[in-house]
Amino acid sequence: MHNLWQVHTDKFINEKESIMRNGNVYQIANGYMGYRGTLDEFGPDELVGITLAGLYDRVGDAWREPVNAPNGGFTEITLDGREISALSTRIKKHHQSLSLGNAVFERETDFESRGKALQIKSTRFLSADEPNLGVIKFSFTCNKAARVRIKTGIDYNIWDLNGPHLLKLTAKKKSGTLLVQSVTGEASKKVTVAEVIDLHFGKQTHEAGGNKNLRVIELDAKANQTYTFYKYFAVVTDNDPVKTSVHEAAIKKVEEAKDSGYDECLSRHNAQWAKRWEHCDVKIEGDDEAQHALRYSIFQLLMVAPVNGSANSIPARALSGQVYKGAIFWDTEMFMFPFFLYTYPEKAVELMRYRIKTLDGARRKAKTEGAGYRGAFYAWESQESGDDACTYFNIGDPFSKRDLRTYFRDKQVHISGDVAIAMWEYFKVTGDDSLLLEGGGEVILECARFYYSYAYFNKDKHRHEILDVVGPDEYHERVNNNAFTSMVAKATFEIANAMVEYLRRRHPDKLKSLVKKMDITGALPVFREMADLLYVPQPDETTGAIEQFDGYFKLKETTVKELKARMIHPNEYLGAGQGLAVPTKVIKQADVVMMLNLFKDRYTEQVKKANWEYYEPRTEHGSSLSACAYAMVAADIGKLDWAYSYFLKTAKIDIEARYKVYVGTIFMGGSHPAANGGAWMTVVFGFGGVKANAERVVINPRLYKEWKSLQFNMFYKGDSFNVKITRNDVTIIADPSNKCNRTFVVSGKSIECVPGKRLFVGYR
Ligand code: BGC
């Protein structure tokens, strides 16, 4: 099999679609920014994008979206006066690769132009050690003597979906450094890119024009001699904690990088990546396809994990562009967060701090949405302030080109509970209550308060109900008693109650001041009642099926295939208003099944199986979030073949880049970090059968038949463990630095893991 630490291709297909998809597959990122996997000579038409985390801008009435920075990585070359580009020159050979070990992108292209052969090689990385920094090594060799001109510098022709976001763009050259300075239109935030090169040949001049700030290097290249130079670029914005001005900071960063040199920058970068993999890799023995796809998925998450101290989160399309407004959805808490919680807790903290930082935005949303509510109603599409970026007309109809009313923003209320659940998971799995004390507790109570004000008391049935919502299945809007949503709301009350109890015991003063600050004394007893009396649809006594929402069982029976055959336009949206799925039982994504996964301890195997079998043929999997839920529940009920095929679907989505790119009139191309997180969860929680709670870690292995072993690391309560599952036994190594013994239960056998000791448990 191929190198399991790399993706590569020997093809360059000169088509927009292929360039766009490869831009996603080969992108690199370092949490501060992403750089799409495009070639050095490319521009905005090829979707070159350096997308910045946490910096957003809005132009007029268009969607607010993250800012793309000027491209400090730009280089183009001419040979005897002819421009050389993958878009226009004959290519004899092309190879490009992305190393999963350290997020280094390489391209090597052999061109032929008027009887001469020119090879271009470049290597690019975004430093994992210095978040603002990008580094490039560029070489070329011609087989015959030739006149070569290189233009390299900063291209500020920027690809935007709803731009332009950067105004007053000015190009400067200060000593040896090129600068492009600008400010965002909405908030006047400065964004500066600086670039320096380390080059020792040719004659250099400066050229600015056509939105490019360039150095022009001319030389008579000798036959078969390789010429190499290094580029360092830095992006610095007003969001960075810099002590000097933004442009001075940018200059300093590139100068320092140049002084350190390429090898030193690369070795610092590599050291950071080595640390990440040391704890985060998962090894699947016996199945290279699964191993490769899983490693690529983990790699995607590691690349986009927020910079420490930034309190940023991960958007639904990560840093692969401006798709989905660069917004943070429930994807983060429900699909990505668990990976970080178990393998890279310092990043899990950032994700939670982001929700604490945006609590005021969630409060504003609660007050102003619909009839007005109390508490925290988190944004469906959240940006830096927590105000909702989702519009009421969020999908364009490809027929009429009009915008369709969707209720994602005002009715997808499960988002608040998703946040509360993740916040509590953090506490349970790490044992660290600092987040609760530093705002997380307030988040949980505000989420409970929101559901309390959203719920309706049905006097006849003597129960609270959550009505008029959109569940994960967005094809059926404004439904009553959606099982997933109601269960998440109920769990939010349970968590709020458990947390109040915990604070009462451990931090009574903190509880007192919190209750006073939030003026919530009266609500606390009601939360207990809500937890007891909130209605959640129950399994049918004969079939075991749980009705997704009131009336779902009465909808029209059809198959996904039949439904799709009725589509008139390939991109038509199946939900909203007249959507084909609306009157039918066809659902967009896992909904009840998602609930059965999230609350797996509350349902029997029989109920899980009945619902998996009921909903699976009715699910379109129109969202990349769906497959992993089906995979995990299938693993849970021992249907490992079912689990495996859904696992591959979730794990291969980005490596294969075979996803839909338009929904309605909206461009959706980009990476899928939620599916990547789902791949990790399927392997560790699904096939590994891991489930931790506040008392112990439970492992019920369900190894897929092709796998000889599965090995991974996990943190539990701040202690580190290596777990290896083979067909017959489980070996757990507790790190010598662990603080104390921890209880693991392997297939029902309870064992104590002593720091520094290896334990071996047979499970068959
Ligand atoms: C899904 C949502 C998801 C969003 C972002 C939508 O297509 O239905 O559940 O949060 O995409 O990934």
Side-chain angles (χ1 to χ4, degrees):
M1 169 92 180
H2 48 280
N3 183 345
L4 298 176
W5 283 96
Q6 205 191 54
V7 281
H8 65 91
T9 178
D10 291 327
K11 273 197 230 122
F12 174 76
I13 301 171
N14 194 357
E15 280 167 10
K16 267 201 139 175
E17 173 91 13
S18 162
I19 292 173
M20 182 273 293
R21 290 187 192 265
N22 271 344
N24 295 325
V25 176
Y26 290 90
Q27 62 163 325
I28 54 175
N30 66 356
Y32 180 86
M33 56 188 159
Y35 193 148
R36 293 174 55 76
T38 46
L39 303 184
D40 310 77
E41 63 270 30
F42 286 179
D45 287 347
E46 290 72 48
L47 315 190
V48 171
I50 297 188
T51 304
L52 303 180
L55 183 68
Y56 296 87
D57 182 69
R58 180 173 196 177
V59 177
D61 283 343
W63 282 1
R64 243 176 143 254
E65 63 189 12
V67 169
N68 278 347
N71 174 17
F74 177 78
T75 299
E76 69 180 7
I77 199 161
T78 59
L79 192 74
D80 297 329
R82 287 190 114 197
E83 188 188 308
I84 303 296
S85 162
L87 300 172
S88 53
T89 312
R90 199 171 107 72
I91 295 177
K92 287 199 317 191
K93 222 164 101 189
H94 174 80
H95 180 82
Q96 69 182 53
S97 65
L98 174 62
S99 154
L100 310 184
N102 59 355
V104 170
F105 170 78
E106 290 190 283
R107 68 85 66 102
E108 191 179 308
T109 315
D110 290 0
F111 293 104
E112 192 179 72
S113 171
R114 284 194 189 145
K116 291 185 182 175
L118 177 80
Q119 182 181 69
I120 289 179
K121 266 191 192 184
S122 77
T123 306
R124 170 202 298 165
F125 62 92
L126 293 175
S127 173
D129 183 58
E130 168 54 80
N132 306 75
L133 185 69
V135 181
I136 297 170
K137 176 181 179 181
F138 191 99
S139 308
F140 62 90
T141 317
C142 189
N143 70 337
K144 293 185 184 153
R147 183 77 183 151
V148 171
R149 194 178 65 203
I150 301 150
K151 290 189 174 184
T152 186
I154 308 171
D155 180 2
Y156 52 101
N157 294 289
I158 297 170
W159 169 51
D160 278 321
L161 294 179
N162 295 291
H165 299 293
L166 295 180
L167 309 180
K168 300 185 196 156
L169 281 149
T170 45
K172 281 189 195 149
K173 185 162 186 244
K174 284 202 166 183
S175 324
T177 306
L178 298 181
L179 276 181
V180 170
Q181 290 169 275
S182 61
V183 289
T184 59
E186 193 186 16
S188 297
K189 294 219 174 184
K190 291 194 194 81
V191 175
T192 293
V193 178
E195 185 254 23
V196 291
I197 61 171
D198 190 358
L199 172 145
H200 302 278
F201 54 80
K203 191 172 143 276
Q204 214 184 117
T205 52
H206 176 229
E207 181 184 292
N211 289 343
K212 287 182 181 142
N213 189 10
L214 302 172
R215 337 157 173 277
V216 182
I217 299 117
E218 309 236 24
L219 74 151
D220 288 312
K222 292 191 183 135
N224 297 318
Q225 181 162 330
T226 299
Y227 295 84
T228 300
F229 64 92
Y230 302 92
K231 263 168 89 74
Y232 304 87
F233 70 86
V235 184
V236 180
T237 79
D238 268 335
N239 276 3
D240 290 314
V242 287
K243 292 192 191 81
T244 54
S245 69
V246 162
H247 77 271
E248 277 166 345
I251 294 174
K252 192 159 172 261
K253 283 182 196 286
V254 288
E255 281 176 351
E256 280 175 3
K258 184 178 169 183
D259 286 348
S260 303
Y262 179 84
D263 290 341
E264 178 60 25
C265 288
L266 181 60
S267 88
R268 285 190 208 145
H269 168 80
N270 285 345
Q272 292 295 333
W273 269 99
K275 255 198 255 165
R276 293 174 189 185
W277 279 116
E278 196 182 294
H279 208 267
C280 300
D281 194 24
V282 174
K283 294 192 179 99
I284 299 173
E285 220 191 333
D287 185 350
D288 285 355
E289 187 185 11
Q291 172 71 78
H292 191 223
L294 173 65
R295 190 166 281 146
Y296 186 77
S297 303
I298 295 174
F299 168 74
Q300 291 292 317
L301 293 168
L302 292 177
M303 281 204 298
V304 298
V307 171
N308 285 3
S310 63
N312 276 336
S313 188
I314 306 174
R317 289 288 178 272
L319 299 174
S320 63
Q322 295 160 321
V323 169
Y324 269 143
K325 312 174 185 109
I328 288 93
F329 292 65
W330 72 312
D331 303 36
T332 314
E333 280 71 24
M334 291 287 109
F335 298 86
M336 306 175 214
F337 176 76
F339 164 76
F340 292 107
L341 178 61
Y342 282 85
T343 65
Y344 205 174
E346 70 198 71
K347 301 297 179 185
V349 170
E350 295 303 329
L351 302 178
M352 288 299 98
R353 287 213 188 284
Y354 168 76
R355 292 303 189 178
I356 295 172
K357 177 176 90 177
T358 51
L359 175 59
D360 278 344
R363 287 184 172 121
R364 277 193 294 279
K365 177 172 170 187
K367 262 200 204 110
T368 50
E369 209 57 73
Y373 305 99
R374 274 169 280 155
F377 183 1
Y378 273 91
W380 183 243
E381 299 185 6
S382 185
Q383 298 176 335
E384 76 278 44
S385 66
D387 293 288
D388 211 325
C390 187
T391 61
Y392 293 109
F393 298 85
N394 215 44
I395 290 193
D397 174 21
F399 303 107
S400 64
K401 305 279 184 271
R402 292 179 188 149
D403 292 336
L404 300 169
R405 177 65 161 108
T406 52
Y407 291 86
F408 313 148
R409 172 185 167 133
D410 33 341
K411 302 291 175 189
Q412 211 151 160
V413 299
H414 66 79
I415 176 70
S416 288
D418 304 333
V419 171
I421 288 170
M423 197 67 83
W424 190 241
E425 272 305 292
Y426 177 84
F427 168 61
K428 278 197 318 196
V429 174
T430 63
D432 167 15
D433 61 14
S434 63
L435 264 184
L436 292 180
L437 302 177
E438 290 160 20
E442 199 170 336
V443 165
I444 290 173
L445 290 177
E446 287 292 35
C447 291
R449 175 137 77 178
F450 166 66
Y451 287 128
Y452 171 43
S453 84
Y454 197 91
Y456 157 86
F457 187 69
N458 184 331
K459 286 199 203 94
D460 293 341
K461 296 185 172 154
H462 193 68
R463 66 191 193 194
H464 295 278
E465 297 181 352
I466 305 276
L467 307 179
D468 195 8
V469 299
V470 180
D473 162 28
E474 292 172 337
Y475 291 164
H476 297 95
E477 300 187 301
R478 309 202 66 174
V479 300
N480 295 336
N481 296 312
N482 166 251
F484 179 88
T485 306
S486 300
M487 190 59 157
V488 159
K490 188 182 177 72
T492 305
F493 289 116
E494 291 168 356
I495 288 169
N497 298 335
M499 191 203 57
V500 167
E501 258 335 288
Y502 174 79
L503 293 184
R504 186 166 288 143
R505 268 187 290 117
R506 303 294 287 270
H507 303 280
D509 293 344
K510 187 77 199 171
L511 178 65
K512 244 192 227 150
S513 59
L514 187 60
V515 165
K516 189 159 171 235
K517 173 180 161 204
M518 293 180 67
D519 191 15
I520 201 169
T521 328
L524 296 183
V526 188
F527 289 173
R528 285 197 288 275
E529 180 195 304
M530 294 296 300
D532 290 341
L533 293 186
L534 186 73
Y535 168 68
V536 178
Q538 292 303 305
D540 179 273
E541 277 175 17
T542 17
T543 65
I546 298 170
E547 189 167 33
Q548 188 178 293
F549 52 81
D550 291 352
Y552 172 86
F553 286 152
K554 296 197 195 92
L555 292 175
K556 223 159 104 190
E557 198 63 86
T558 181
T559 63
V560 175
K561 206 165 154 211
E562 275 166 19
L563 193 91
K564 290 212 159 166
R566 292 174 51 211
M567 287 169 72
I568 302 170
H569 190 289
N571 301 336
E572 79 180 77
Y573 183 58
L574 300 179
Q578 321 285 318
L580 281 175
V582 176
T584 76
K585 284 186 186 157
V586 169
I587 62 172
K588 182 177 182 188
Q589 64 201 77
D591 193 309
V592 167
V593 168
M594 182 67 198
M595 177 190 76
L596 295 175
N597 180 53
L598 194 57
F599 300 98
K600 48 166 76 84
D601 293 346
R602 303 188 189 204
Y603 294 93
T604 63
E605 190 173 317
Q606 183 264 330
V607 165
K608 287 178 199 165
K609 185 160 179 289
N611 284 281
W612 199 99
E613 287 180 336
Y614 182 84
Y615 284 104
E616 197 262 352
R618 296 173 171 88
T619 307
E620 189 227 351
H621 303 293
S623 161
S624 61
L625 275 44
S626 192
C628 70
Y630 276 91
M632 282 185 277
V633 174
D636 200 9
I637 56 178
K639 296 285 183 192
L640 300 186
D641 287 331
W642 299 353
Y644 187 72
S645 64
Y646 276 109
F647 159 68
L648 281 188
K649 208 171 145 130
T650 192
K652 285 168 88 170
I653 185 162
D654 280 334
I655 207 166
E656 291 191 332
R658 279 197 270 134
Y659 34 74
K660 60 181 171 189
V661 172
Y662 278 94
V663 165
T665 58
I666 317 282
F667 174 63
M668 310 240 302
S671 54
H672 299 77
N676 302 150
W680 180 88
M681 288 197 289
T682 303
V683 170
V684 174
F685 297 163
F687 295 111
V690 170
K691 174 117 180 81
N693 61 29
E695 286 79 41
R696 62 189 67 87
V697 180
V698 174
I699 303 183
N700 287 319
R702 297 171 287 234
L703 221 53
Y704 182 58
K705 59 179 185 256
E706 306 285 326
W707 298 3
K708 284 203 198 89
S709 71
L710 167 66
Q711 192 174 6
F712 51 88
N713 294 313
M714 58 177 282
F715 283 110
Y716 177 65
K717 306 247 173 178
D719 286 344
S720 171
F721 301 89
N722 178 272
V723 179
K724 184 166 182 181
I725 300 172
T726 64
R727 302 228 61 85
N728 300 313
D729 40 64
V730 177
T731 307
I732 304 170
I733 303 173
D735 199 83
S737 65
N738 286 357
K739 296 180 293 294
C740 54
N741 295 0
R742 302 287 181 198
T743 308
F744 278 63
V745 181
V746 177
S747 288
K749 288 181 211 155
S750 181
I751 51 174
E752 286 298 292
C753 289
V754 180
K757 291 270 157 37
R758 167 196 293 259
L759 273 171
F760 186 78
V761 197
Y763 68 87
R764 277 189 194 254

Coordinates of all heavy atoms in Angstrom, one line a residue, residues 316-317 324 329-331 380 412 472 474 588-589 622-625 668 674, ligand 1:
A316 N -17.3 25.0 10.5 CA -17.8 23.8 9.9 C -17.0 23.4 8.6 O -17.0 22.3 8.3 CB -19.3 23.9 9.5
R317 N -16.4 24.4 8.0 CA -15.5 24.0 6.8 C -14.1 24.4 7.2 O -13.2 24.7 6.3 CB -15.9 24.8 5.6 CG -17.2 24.3 4.9 CD -17.0 22.9 4.3 NE -18.3 22.4 3.7 CZ -19.2 21.7 4.4 NH1 -18.9 21.4 5.6 NH2 -20.3 21.3 3.8
Y324 N -19.9 28.5 4.3 CA -20.7 28.5 5.5 C -20.3 29.6 6.4 O -20.4 29.5 7.6 CB -20.4 27.2 6.2 CG -21.4 26.0 5.9 CD1 -21.0 24.7 5.8 CD2 -22.7 26.3 5.7 CE1 -21.8 23.7 5.5 CE2 -23.6 25.2 5.4 CZ -23.1 24.0 5.3 OH -24.0 22.9 5.0
F329 N -20.7 25.8 14.2 CA -22.0 25.2 14.3 C -21.9 24.2 15.5 O -20.9 24.0 16.1 CB -22.4 24.4 13.1 CG -22.7 25.2 11.8 CD1 -21.7 25.9 11.2 CD2 -24.0 25.1 11.2 CE1 -22.0 26.6 10.0 CE2 -24.2 25.8 10.0 CZ -23.2 26.5 9.4
W330 N -23.0 23.4 15.7 CA -23.0 22.3 16.6 C -22.0 21.3 16.3 O -21.6 20.4 17.1 CB -24.4 21.7 16.8 CG -24.8 20.8 15.6 CD1 -24.8 21.2 14.3 CD2 -25.4 19.5 15.7 NE1 -25.3 20.2 13.5 CE2 -25.7 19.2 14.3 CE3 -25.7 18.7 16.7 CZ2 -26.3 17.9 14.0 CZ3 -26.3 17.4 16.4 CH2 -26.6 17.1 15.0
D331 N -21.5 21.3 15.0 CA -20.5 20.4 14.5 C -19.3 20.3 15.5 O -18.8 19.2 15.7 CB -19.9 20.8 13.2 CG -21.0 21.0 12.1 OD1 -22.1 21.5 12.4 OD2 -20.7 20.8 10.9
W380 N -26.9 29.6 15.7 CA -26.8 28.4 14.8 C -25.5 28.5 14.0 O -24.8 27.5 13.8 CB -28.0 28.3 13.9 CG -27.9 27.0 13.1 CD1 -27.8 26.9 11.7 CD2 -27.8 25.7 13.6 NE1 -27.7 25.6 11.4 CE2 -27.7 24.8 12.5 CE3 -27.8 25.1 14.9 CZ2 -27.5 23.4 12.6 CZ3 -27.7 23.7 15.0 CH2 -27.5 22.9 13.9
Q412 N -33.5 26.0 15.5 CA -32.7 24.8 15.8 C -32.1 24.9 17.2 O -30.9 25.1 17.4 CB -31.6 24.6 14.7 CG -31.2 23.2 14.5 CD -30.7 22.8 13.2 OE1 -30.1 21.7 13.1 NE2 -31.0 23.5 12.1
P472 N -31.9 17.9 14.1 CA -30.8 17.7 13.2 C -31.3 17.5 11.7 O -30.7 17.9 10.8 CB -30.1 16.5 13.7 CG -30.4 16.5 15.2 CD -31.8 17.0 15.3
E474 N -32.9 18.7 9.0 CA -33.4 20.0 8.6 C -34.5 20.0 7.5 O -35.0 21.1 7.1 CB -32.2 20.9 8.2 CG -31.3 21.2 9.3 CD -30.0 21.9 8.9 OE1 -29.6 21.8 7.7 OE2 -29.3 22.5 9.7
K588 N -32.9 14.2 6.3 CA -31.6 14.6 5.8 C -30.4 13.9 6.4 O -29.5 13.5 5.8 CB -31.4 16.1 6.1 CG -30.2 16.7 5.5 CD -30.0 18.2 5.7 CE -28.7 18.7 5.1 NZ -28.5 20.1 5.4
Q589 N -30.5 13.7 7.7 CA -29.3 13.1 8.4 C -29.8 12.4 9.7 O -30.9 12.6 10.1 CB -28.3 14.2 8.8 CG -28.8 15.2 9.7 CD -28.1 16.6 9.6 OE1 -28.3 17.3 8.7 NE2 -27.2 16.8 10.6
G622 N -27.6 13.6 3.6 CA -27.4 14.9 2.9 C -26.4 15.8 3.7 O -26.1 16.9 3.2
S623 N -26.1 15.4 4.8 CA -25.1 16.1 5.6 C -23.9 15.1 5.9 O -24.1 14.0 6.2 CB -25.7 16.6 6.9 OG -24.6 16.9 7.8
S624 N -22.7 15.7 5.9 CA -21.5 14.9 6.2 C -21.5 14.4 7.7 O -20.7 13.6 8.1 CB -20.3 15.6 5.9 OG -20.2 16.8 6.7
L625 N -22.4 15.0 8.5 CA -22.5 14.6 9.9 C -23.2 13.2 10.1 O -23.1 12.7 11.2 CB -23.3 15.7 10.7 CG -22.5 16.9 11.2 CD1 -21.6 17.5 10.1 CD2 -23.5 18.0 11.7
M668 N -20.5 25.1 -1.4 CA -20.3 24.5 -0.2 C -18.9 23.7 -0.1 O -18.7 23.0 0.8 CB -21.3 23.4 0.1 CG -22.7 23.9 0.0 SD -23.5 23.6 1.5 CE -23.3 21.9 1.7
A674 N -16.1 18.0 10.9 CA -17.1 17.2 11.8 C -17.0 15.7 11.4 O -17.0 14.8 12.3 CB -18.5 17.8 11.7
Ligands
BGC1 C1 -26.2 20.2 8.4 C2 -26.0 20.7 9.8 C3 -24.6 21.1 10.0 C4 -24.2 22.1 8.9 C5 -22.7 22.5 9.0 C6 -25.8 21.2 7.4 O1 -25.9 20.7 6.1 O2 -27.6 19.8 8.2 O3 -26.4 19.8 10.8 O4 -24.4 21.7 11.2 O5 -24.5 21.6 7.6 O6 -21.9 21.4 8.8

